[in-house]
Amino acid sequence: MGCCSGRCTLIFICTLQLVLALERQVFDFLGYQWAPILTNFFHIIIVILGLFGTIQYRPRYIIVYTVWAALWVAWNVFVICFYLDVGGLSKDSDLLTFNISAHHSWWSEHGPGCVRREMPQAPGVRTTESHSYITVMGCLMDYQYIEVMHSSTQILVALLGFVYACYVVSAITEEEDSFDFIGGFDPFPLYHVNEKPSHFLLKPMYLST
C-alpha cells in the first residue's frame, strides 16, 4: 500500500482518537466520572492495538479494533442519552460514578463563561460534611451539551475508523492471498523452476599403452 492509501488514513484516525481520548480522560478524572474513566482507559488500549496492527500489517489486531469501534459508538450513544435525559436516564443521577460519590461532570462548574461561587453554611447549621454550597452562574453553554458534543465527535471519528479499518483488513487480506498465489511463501522456489535433466554423463576413460 502506498503512503496515501487507506492504511495511512487509518493511522491518522487512530492517532486522532488517542488525542481525543486522552483529552476526555483528563476531564473525566477531574469530574471523578469512574465509568467513563474505565471505558476511556480500555478504549486507549484498543486504539493503540489497532494502530500497531495497521503499522505492522496485522489484520487480526485491526479486526479487534473494528469490533471495539462499534462498541465505542454504542457507549457514546448511551452517554448522549444519559446527558439528554433520554430513555429514563437522568444526568442528575450518580450512574457514571457507580454511586460512589455525588460528583458530576467537570464542565458543570467550569464550563465556558461559568462563574463559580462558594456560599458558606449558615452559622446555626451543622452537618457531617464540611463542604460549602456552590452556585454556578453565567455559563454560555450548559454542561450537558458540552458532553454531548464530546460524544458526538467520538462517534464521528469512530465511524470513520470503522470504515477505514474494514477497508484496510480487506486490502491486506487480498495482498496476502495474491502473494500466496504467486508462490511467495514457497520455501524452495528456485528448485522448482527450469529443472532439466543433465545430458552430460561421466564415463570412464581407458588409456592404451
Side-chain angles (χ1 to χ4, degrees):
M1 297 181 190
C3 184
C4 296
S5 64
R7 175 172 165 267
C8 292
T9 305
L10 182 58
I11 292 175
F12 172 77
I13 292 174
C14 290
T15 304
L16 179 61
Q17 280 187 303
L18 285 177
V19 174
L20 294 176
L22 291 174
E23 179 263 344
R24 190 174 187 178
Q25 186 76 314
V26 169
F27 291 113
D28 286 337
F29 261 114
L30 293 174
Y32 301 97
Q33 304 295 293
W34 301 116
I37 287 171
L38 294 177
T39 310
N40 293 336
F41 179 75
F42 194 71
H43 174 65
I44 291 172
I45 293 177
I46 298 298
V47 172
I48 292 176
L49 184 67
L51 182 61
F52 175 79
T54 306
I55 296 174
Q56 296 295 326
Y57 294 91
R58 303 291 179 88
R60 293 182 180 179
Y61 295 165
I62 304 177
I63 291 174
V64 174
Y65 165 82
T66 304
V67 175
W68 172 252
L71 296 176
W72 182 245
V73 170
W75 163 255
N76 282 278
V77 170
F78 165 77
V79 172
I80 291 176
C81 293
F82 176 81
Y83 282 107
L84 294 181
D85 299 335
V86 177
L89 299 172
S90 175
K91 61 181 177 294
D92 296 325
S93 67
D94 299 329
L95 182 62
L96 297 184
T97 60
F98 297 135
N99 295 321
I100 298 176
S101 63
H103 291 88
H104 297 286
S105 172
W106 183 82
W107 297 103
S108 62
E109 299 178 6
H110 303 85
C114 292
V115 178
R116 183 171 177 269
R117 293 182 180 180
E118 294 186 2
M119 301 176 62
Q121 298 177 356
V125 178
R126 293 185 179 181
T127 61
T128 57
E129 298 180 356
S130 60
H131 298 292
S132 301
Y133 294 102
I134 298 175
T135 59
V136 180
M137 299 178 297
C139 295
L140 299 179
M141 181 182 295
D142 292 337
Y143 75 94
Q144 62 265 29
Y145 299 121
I146 298 177
E147 294 287 356
V148 168
M149 290 175 57
H150 274 86
S151 295
S152 300
T153 303
Q154 295 285 346
I155 291 174
L156 177 61
V157 179
L159 289 175
L160 291 175
F162 179 86
V163 173
Y164 276 97
C166 293
Y167 169 76
V168 170
V169 170
S170 176
I172 293 177
T173 304
E174 289 180 0
E175 286 187 0
E176 290 180 350
D177 292 341
S178 62
F179 193 64
D180 290 338
F181 179 76
I182 63 176
F185 291 102
D186 191 351
F188 305 103
L190 298 178
Y191 295 98
H192 299 283
V193 180
N194 295 329
E195 290 186 354
K196 296 181 179 180
S198 176
H199 296 287
F200 298 96
L201 299 178
L202 297 178
K203 296 182 179 179
M205 297 180 64
Y206 301 94
L207 296 177
S208 59
T209 55

